[in-house]
Amino acid sequence: MPFAILASLALAVIEPWDATEPALVPSGMDLLYSDRIAFKPSGEPIITLGIVAGRERVALRSTVAIQADFYEAGTLKRATVRGGDAIDISIVRAQPATRRTYVDLEGVPWAANDKLDWTLATWRARGYAAVEALEEGTVVGIGGRVIDNRELRVVLPVADAQKAKIVIDEIYRRFGIRPSASARLSERPWGELKVKGTTAPLGIATSFVRFVAPGGTIQVDGVEHAKGYAWHGFENRQYAGEIYVVVDPDGRLAVVNVLGAEQVLAGVVPAEIYTSSPAEALKAQAVAARNQLFAKLGKRHHDDPFHLCGEQHCQVYAGTNKEDARTTDAVLATTGELAFLKGKLVDTVYSSSCGGHTEDNESVWGNRPDPALRADLTSRSRAKTTRTLRRSRTASPTTSCRAGLREGLPPSADKPPRPTRTSSAGRRATAPLSSTPSLPNGYASILPLNHLETIARGKGGRIESLRLIGDKGEATVLHELNIRRLFGNLNSGAFIIDEVRDDKGKLVSVTFTGGGWGHGVGMCQVGAVGRAEAGHDYRRIVAHYYNGATIERLYGEPAPGPEISAAP
């Protein structure tokens, strides 16, 4: 198939959002390898979403003609591939990116940057003299509002990822603080990609190829999803907007979907909640998911060619495959609406089922208390002791998430309920204690276990700290997320512990019986359904779970027409 060779070195009409003003939106590597956020004239952000990474080869196709744009030896080429034909992209050669690796210790709010010097001095006094501060996040003005999610991250430069892991384990053992590893680019990767159609080669692209299928979607073959979960798998997925295939930081291939936030949400919302949920619960989920996009922009994947990923780490995004008319209507009905508390954008985290009570954010993650993310409690419904938590597992639940309180049911039929889990105290328990990558290997040295002692629980009943007592010593694990991961990623930290001993008093096994599914901070999706069934509208639901937050429309207009149809 012949190429149309363009005289200009700039991509012509590569920006589909507003072809009359293409300079407003970056393209190519400037778009992909940047924390900069581009916006449509309406104020709607343009999102780059990571779909695939680490591939040697990518295959895609469409039922309609696909247009491909790429540079070959400094010249822009454009090819049109007919509908139904496959396109194959593979690495010819590549130069990986140069990265700077850090141990990310903690954040200092942008509005409290006067505390930065004190925070840096604290870490230097602990023996980490090389600490420094990095800015992350964005500040944008939309619809008369300034959204500023910037933060100063206190980081420790290290040689590589292996050194980062050693330092992370050391800090956790010494201070009970769980830092993370992060990376920033020093130099972008570079590569040559072979682009081949069904009938003929299309050329050798420099670093990236852009694909668009006007009037249709593009299928990417073999997209991996839910890695690390029981429902992990691969499937062919359809995507609207633009698709970029680009060399990733490791010198392999990544696939990136570029499209507006509202189209992203049409794929996110049905992947996060039952599409048969009441209309007001779907609207609440749409607002929460939109806030999550804005809250995370500029704060994730600094060394990747995209802003956010399509997995649980950011938000589950399955392309157009999972789109549903009811959830799309919920997105359209709330177009441009975001939740604020005292003028600040709410970080609207959510989970499947809180098991009866939501939790303070610092109890789960050990970060700074967020006024929008407080435990959902009344004076008559506290679950902060093992005794009251045990009673709530057997009593008739009266909370909005009653469907999830006793069974821990997630809003997905393909995730089976697992209200209990049993681990042996000897050899078999060694695996989760010593091989979990996010926890220090030193825990294995105390085995076999003799006793698990709950030290403290959060207001919502989740375990905040746990003491492990073994034959060879003791260890303390802090924060709900770390405790869940320690025992093979338990469904929830709102669990009680039952120990089984032999006739000599030796610990044989431990059973964890819990309620809920997920971290339990912010909105409980099952609870949102219960509240919608009780007649609460989405604004009231959002205000309840985010401590009085209010909703404002910053861009766009709600979709005209009838209300969301009732579930079939």
Side-chain angles (χ1 to χ4, degrees):
M1 182 178 295
F3 292 105
I5 301 178
L6 306 183
S8 173
L9 291 182
L11 288 177
V13 202
I14 196 164
E15 167 45 44
W17 317 114
D18 185 358
T20 65
E21 296 182 295
L24 291 178
V25 179
S27 61
M29 300 294 272
D30 290 335
L31 168 68
L32 303 174
Y33 279 101
S34 173
D35 285 339
R36 173 186 171 186
I37 308 301
F39 290 82
K40 297 183 185 184
S42 67
E44 179 183 352
I46 297 169
I47 309 297
T48 58
L49 273 164
I51 304 304
V52 167
R55 292 281 188 86
E56 296 292 339
R57 185 180 300 273
V58 170
L60 50 85
R61 67 199 74 225
S62 178
T63 57
V64 302
I66 296 179
Q67 179 178 296
D69 297 303
F70 58 91
Y71 285 104
E72 184 173 49
T75 300
L76 177 70
K77 291 190 173 182
R78 173 167 294 163
T80 300
V81 179
R82 65 188 180 188
D85 283 2
I87 303 174
D88 184 87
I89 307 97
S90 58
I91 291 283
V92 177
R93 60 188 177 120
Q95 175 64 50
T98 302
R99 292 179 173 103
R100 301 183 302 275
T101 305
Y102 302 95
V103 173
D104 191 318
L105 300 168
E106 64 175 292
V108 176
W110 189 261
N113 57 21
D114 55 317
K115 298 179 180 178
L116 178 61
D117 288 344
W118 179 86
T119 305
L120 290 171
T122 298
W123 282 101
R124 287 166 182 152
R126 289 170 170 169
Y128 301 99
V131 290
E132 59 185 76
L134 297 177
E135 177 185 339
E136 71 172 15
T138 60
V139 54
V140 296
I142 307 176
R145 267 276 189 190
V146 174
I147 297 179
D148 188 349
N149 72 352
R150 290 176 298 171
E151 188 177 25
L152 294 166
R153 302 301 306 181
V154 175
V155 300
L156 177 69
V158 292
D160 51 36
Q162 182 59 36
K163 178 61 175 176
K165 185 180 184 308
I166 293 171
V167 173
I168 287 169
D169 286 355
E170 173 188 291
I171 290 173
Y172 188 76
R173 284 196 300 269
R174 291 182 62 192
F175 307 110
I177 297 170
R178 169 58 53 192
S180 61
S182 66
R184 305 285 179 107
L185 288 183
S186 297
E187 186 175 346
R188 293 173 181 169
W190 177 91
E192 290 184 339
L193 317 180
K194 182 180 180 181
V195 188
K196 182 179 180 298
T198 299
T199 58
L202 304 182
I204 303 297
T206 301
S207 296
F208 73 91
V209 190
R210 168 191 173 266
F211 298 96
V212 63
T217 59
I218 296 176
Q219 175 179 298
V220 180
D221 292 349
V223 176
E224 185 176 17
H225 61 91
K227 189 174 182 179
Y229 292 83
W231 51 98
H232 169 251
F234 296 83
E235 65 180 11
N236 300 337
R237 289 183 169 179
Q238 304 286 334
Y239 298 96
E242 299 178 349
I243 290 290
Y244 277 84
V245 179
V246 58
V247 62
D248 74 13
D250 295 319
R252 298 182 177 86
L253 294 177
V255 180
V256 182
N257 193 193
V258 181
L259 69 174
E262 301 304 306
Q263 180 70 61
V264 173
L265 293 171
V268 166
V269 176
E272 293 283 7
I273 192 171
Y274 274 135
T275 58
S276 60
S277 300
E280 297 304 308
L282 296 182
K283 291 177 187 177
Q285 179 65 66
V287 172
R290 187 178 294 108
N291 264 64
Q292 281 293 281
L293 287 182
F294 276 86
K296 290 184 171 76
L297 287 178
K299 303 183 80 169
R300 299 285 177 100
H301 296 284
H302 295 294
D303 59 332
D304 286 315
F306 44 84
H307 299 135
L308 304 171
C309 66
E311 287 295 301
Q312 283 84 352
H313 175 252
C314 294
Q315 280 190 116
V316 177
Y317 171 70
T320 63
N321 296 56
K322 305 293 186 183
E323 287 185 11
D324 181 89
R326 297 187 76 250
T327 48
T328 297
D329 286 348
V331 171
L332 293 174
T334 63
T335 297
E337 291 190 344
L338 294 160
F340 295 88
L341 182 64
K342 297 181 180 179
K344 183 178 179 181
L345 184 75
V346 176
D347 185 7
T348 51
V349 294
Y350 51 86
S351 62
S352 296
S353 169
C354 69
H357 306 275
T358 63
E359 192 61 83
D360 290 343
N361 65 290
E362 66 271 21
S363 292
V364 173
W365 298 304
N367 51 359
R368 295 175 184 269
D370 186 327
L373 303 177
R374 300 294 85 197
D376 165 24
L377 297 174
T378 68
S379 60
R380 294 186 300 167
S381 61
R382 293 188 175 274
K384 62 185 300 183
T385 68
T386 298
R387 176 179 296 177
T388 54
L389 191 65
R390 185 180 296 277
R391 186 166 57 245
S392 74
R393 296 295 160 255
T394 56
S396 296
T398 58
T399 58
S400 297
C401 67
R402 57 190 177 277
L405 175 59
R406 293 174 66 180
E407 297 297 333
L409 295 174
S412 175
D414 61 356
K415 301 178 189 176
R418 300 170 67 184
T420 64
R421 183 178 300 179
T422 301
S423 296
S424 67
R427 182 181 300 275
R428 291 179 61 192
T430 303
L433 286 174
S434 62
S435 64
T436 306
S438 60
L439 292 169
N441 290 336
Y443 285 123
S445 65
I446 70 171
L447 295 177
L449 288 176
N450 289 327
H451 180 52
L452 299 181
E453 179 184 346
T454 300
I455 301 173
R457 291 184 182 273
K459 294 176 182 176
R462 286 155 185 82
I463 292 185
E464 283 186 327
S465 55
L466 181 71
R467 181 174 294 116
L468 310 176
I469 302 173
D471 283 354
K472 302 174 183 178
E474 298 182 4
T476 300
V477 190
L478 300 178
H479 307 307
E480 189 260 14
L481 181 59
N482 294 327
I483 294 168
R484 287 171 59 194
R485 288 176 173 173
L486 183 64
F487 295 103
N489 206 18
L490 297 172
N491 295 340
S492 167
F495 60 80
I496 53 178
I497 300 169
D498 291 296
E499 299 178 341
V500 178
R501 300 181 181 276
D502 61 19
D503 54 7
K504 297 182 180 179
K506 182 178 179 181
L507 186 63
V508 175
S509 64
V510 180
T511 298
F512 306 90
T513 304
W517 192 293
H519 52 69
V521 180
M523 188 175 74
C524 168
Q525 292 170 308
V526 176
V529 169
R531 289 180 178 276
E533 290 174 342
H536 297 192
D537 69 12
Y538 74 103
R539 293 177 181 273
R540 185 174 174 184
I541 293 170
V542 168
H544 173 80
Y545 284 111
Y546 301 109
N547 201 22
T550 57
I551 294 174
E552 300 179 30
R553 187 182 304 279
L554 269 61
Y555 61 83
E557 295 293 335
E563 283 292 310
I564 300 170
S565 61

